[in-house]
Structure formats: structure tokens, C-alpha cells
Amino acid sequence: MTETMLILGAGAPGGVGGAVALRFAKAGYHVLVTGRTFEKVEATRAAIAAQEGSADAMSCDVTSEQDLDAVFGALAAKEMPVASVIYNAGNNAPISFEALTPEQFETYWRVCCLGGFLAAKRAMPLLARQGRGSMLFTGASASLRGKPNFAHFSSAKGALRNLVQALAREYGPQGVHAAHIIIDGVVNGDQVKSRFGDYLDKLGEDGALDPAAIAEVFWMVHNQPRSAWTQELDLRPFKEAW
């Protein structure tokens, strides 16, 4: 174990963030698992330990500079090169435009976009000083298009997408790989299973995105040779209407 990675918005082991954390730990990285709910990220840390991996867990609100400073301070204390920083934080719920308040609009933007900016402000200079490493961001179909009842989410995710493009162009020549991974479809994770299990059943076999399969893509992008970097790619089940 010679390198570490940080995941922001990791959540529980059965979701996208947890699966990504487990995949990087499996490859031998020390993983700093962070999220708003400590119990969830602690469960992911425990899952990593159960597969004989190395990890720490911390609670972190990505919209709080104080929280982010504490997380990046813990990262620095490891005194290991940082291989990757993953920004997986997000929030989403349908809200009609007429019911949408300015406060709600700002809340979604703060998590989906501002948090990515605040994390990148700390991560990108660190990776640039190393001259290598990746910062990968989780996107959504809303990153590409707006739909009824999701003006707040589409605005925030679209802004994040453009932020990542700017980072890729500015820091790519410095050896840092910034990429945006769009998840277009329902994820077969803990939250959906607990709340919409019947819907998942209707989708059938492989009708929803498998978190472990998504994690393999994050791992692949992180390991791409510098001569052929991906800036953006999208993932969806073979059944998905798009």
C-alpha cells in the first residue's frame, strides 16, 4: 500500500460510492471514505476491512469548507501520494417548477455543483504538485438535458459538467486527469432497493445499473494511459430508453 484515494459522498457499501471505494481498496489503495452520514461511511469502511483492505471513515458535508479542510488534512496526514479524488455527492427529488423555491434551488446547486468546486479547489492543486492523479465526478442524465420537475437538478448537474470540462482543460497539461462519468438510468443500489423494490422487479434482469459494474468503469478511467484519456463517458443498462 503506497497510495491513498478519497471519495466524497461515499454512502453505504451497496451504493455507487461504496462500490467505488471497495474497488479501489481491492486494488491496494488506502481509502478515505467520507459522506454526510457517518454510520453509512463507517459501514463502507467496515466492508473494506472485511475484504482485508485499508480505509478510514469521516463525516463530511461537501458544502462546508471546514469539513473539507478536515478531510484534506486527514489525507495529508497519511503522507502518501494521492492517487484519486472521487466526487460522488448529490441529491435529487422531483419538484415542479412552480413549487420550486429559491432556497431549494440553491440547496441542490450547493451539493451538486458548489461542493464539486470546493473539493476541486483543494484536490486539483495537490494533484498538480504531484504531476499525476485523477479527479473523477459522478454525473447524471440531467447533466445533459433538462426534464419537467427537475429544473433544479438539471441546472446543478449541468453546471458541474461544465466545471469538470474547465478543470480537464486547465489541469490535463499538468498531468491531472479530470473526468465526468454520467450515470443514465436507475442504479440497483440500497436506496432504490429499499424504496422502489417493485420498480426494480419490473425492470427485470440487468434493467438497472449495477454499482459494482459502475465502479469498474471508475477504476478503468482512473487507470487510462495519458496518451488516451477520457474526459466524459456515459453508462446505462442495455434496456434503457435514451
Side-chain angles (χ1 to χ4, degrees):
M1 185 180 64
T2 58
E3 294 185 300
T4 187
M5 67 86 71
L6 165 65
I7 179 158
L8 296 154
V16 172
V20 172
L22 284 158
R23 181 63 184 87
F24 276 74
K26 182 180 178 182
Y29 291 124
H30 175 81
V31 181
L32 181 52
V33 187
T34 72
R36 284 179 295 182
T37 306
F38 181 74
E39 290 77 13
K40 291 183 179 180
V41 295
E42 171 59 19
T44 296
R45 184 211 62 77
I48 290 172
Q51 67 175 23
E52 300 184 352
S54 175
D56 292 315
M58 292 179 66
S59 59
C60 178
D61 176 350
V62 294
T63 68
S64 166
E65 294 201 64
Q66 183 177 356
D67 282 10
L68 286 169
D69 285 341
V71 165
F72 278 86
L75 200 64
K78 286 295 177 183
E79 297 184 343
M80 291 187 288
V82 178
S84 185
V85 176
I86 311 289
Y87 190 80
N88 185 61
N91 53 355
N92 189 16
I95 306 173
S96 71
F97 187 75
E98 291 191 8
L100 183 65
T101 67
E103 292 77 16
Q104 288 173 319
F105 188 89
E106 182 176 345
T107 295
Y108 282 88
W109 168 79
R110 289 180 67 84
V111 174
C112 292
C113 183
L114 178 65
F117 163 77
L118 295 175
K121 286 286 286 185
R122 290 155 176 79
M124 299 304 281
L126 184 161
L127 297 172
R129 287 194 297 271
Q130 295 180 166
R132 63 186 179 89
S134 69
M135 186 166 187
L136 311 180
F137 298 78
T138 303
S141 52
S143 306
L144 303 175
R145 58 187 180 272
K147 287 189 173 181
N149 303 315
F150 290 97
H152 51 296
F153 187 59
S154 299
S155 299
K157 296 300 280 189
L160 179 69
R161 182 188 186 217
N162 281 303
L163 170 64
V164 181
Q165 287 189 11
L167 293 174
R169 291 182 169 94
E170 184 166 348
Y171 284 93
Q174 300 178 57
V176 183
H177 186 184
H180 183 237
I181 298 173
I182 296 170
I183 299 176
D184 184 10
V186 176
V187 176
N188 190 9
D190 289 342
Q191 287 190 7
V192 177
K193 286 178 181 177
S194 62
R195 297 171 59 189
F196 307 105
D198 291 343
Y199 179 68
L200 283 176
D201 291 341
K202 290 179 181 178
L203 291 176
E205 185 178 1
D206 294 329
L209 290 121
D210 177 14
I214 295 171
E216 287 296 335
V217 173
F218 275 84
W219 176 244
M220 177 272 291
V221 172
H222 168 68
N223 283 291
Q224 286 178 322
R226 294 199 303 176
S227 65
W229 272 354
T230 293
Q231 194 280 313
E232 182 173 81
L233 55 75
D234 54 359
L235 304 172
R236 64 183 58 84
F238 75 106
K239 300 178 179 180
E240 184 76 10
W242 59 289

